[in-house]
Amino acid sequence: MTKTKRVLTLFLRFLAIGATLAAVIVMVTSHDSSQVLNLTFTAKYSNEQAFKFFVIAEAIACGYSLILLLTFSQTSLWRLVLILDVVIAMLLSSSVSAAVAIAHVGKKGNTHAGWLPICGQVPKFCNHVTGALVAGFSAAIIYFLLIFSSLYSVQNTLFL
C-alpha cells in the first residue's frame, strides 16, 4: 500500500511541476500590441501586479516541487512536507484568484469605473493569459489532491 501511495504522490508532484511550469512559461510569453487611434497599445503580463504575483507564486510552487522530488525520496519529515504543501496550495489559490480578477476586468471591463475591455484589441494576449490561468488552476487542484492524499494516508496510519 505504501508503494502505491508513493507512486501516486510522485505522479501528482510531476503533474504539479508540469502545470506550474506551463503556467509560468505561457504567462511570461504573453504579449500583444495593437494600434488604437494612431497610438500603439502594448499588453504584457508585467504591466499588472496581479500577473506578476501569479508568475512568482507559480515559480515558487514549481521550485518547491522540484526540490522535494530531488531531496526527499524517503522523507521522515512528512509533517513538514504536509504543512508546506498546504502553504503552497494557499499561495497558488490566492495567486490564481488575483489573476482571474484582473483577467475578468480585461475581458469584460468595468462600466461603473469607466474601464473598457481590452481583449477585443489584444486577443493573443488574452488567450495566453487564459491558458496560463487554466494551468495555474490545475496546479492548485493538484496540490489539493496531494494534501488530501497525504491526509488520507496519515489517517490510515494513525488509526490502523
Side-chain angles (χ1 to χ4, degrees):
M1 187 69 167
T2 58
K3 184 166 176 113
T4 305
K5 184 228 178 259
R6 175 131 175 84
V7 168
L8 176 67
T9 301
L10 284 174
F11 177 70
L12 287 174
R13 291 229 184 261
F14 278 118
L15 282 179
I17 289 170
T20 54
L21 190 61
V24 169
I25 290 171
V26 171
M27 184 62 90
V28 168
T29 60
S30 65
H31 57 83
D32 197 3
S33 60
S34 177
Q35 277 203 314
V36 179
L37 301 172
N38 287 335
L39 297 172
T40 302
F41 173 71
T42 303
K44 52 187 172 180
Y45 89 96
S46 59
N47 291 344
E48 184 57 47
Q49 295 296 325
F51 290 156
K52 287 180 186 178
F53 173 54
F54 176 78
V55 169
I56 291 168
E58 295 290 326
I60 288 170
C62 185
Y64 164 74
S65 289
L66 279 172
I67 289 170
L68 203 60
L69 280 177
L70 296 175
T71 59
F72 292 113
S73 59
Q74 291 290 342
T75 183
S76 61
L77 302 172
W78 60 269
R79 288 182 182 147
L80 177 63
V81 171
L82 180 60
I83 290 169
L84 289 175
D85 281 349
V86 171
V87 169
I88 293 295
M90 294 303 109
L91 180 67
L92 290 176
S93 175
S94 66
S95 72
V96 169
S97 298
V100 164
I102 295 301
H104 179 71
V105 171
K107 185 172 179 82
K108 302 286 185 181
N110 186 337
T111 57
H112 300 292
W115 299 336
L116 299 174
I118 65 163
C119 285
Q121 286 77 31
V122 286
K124 180 181 164 191
F125 172 75
C126 289
N127 292 338
H128 270 243
V129 168
T130 301
L133 291 175
V134 167
F137 188 71
S138 300
I141 289 173
I142 291 167
Y143 265 96
F144 283 116
L145 290 174
L146 272 167
I147 292 166
F148 291 141
S149 170
S150 296
L151 289 175
Y152 179 74
S153 65
V154 167
Q155 176 192 10
N156 285 344
T157 305
L158 292 176
F159 295 117
L160 289 180

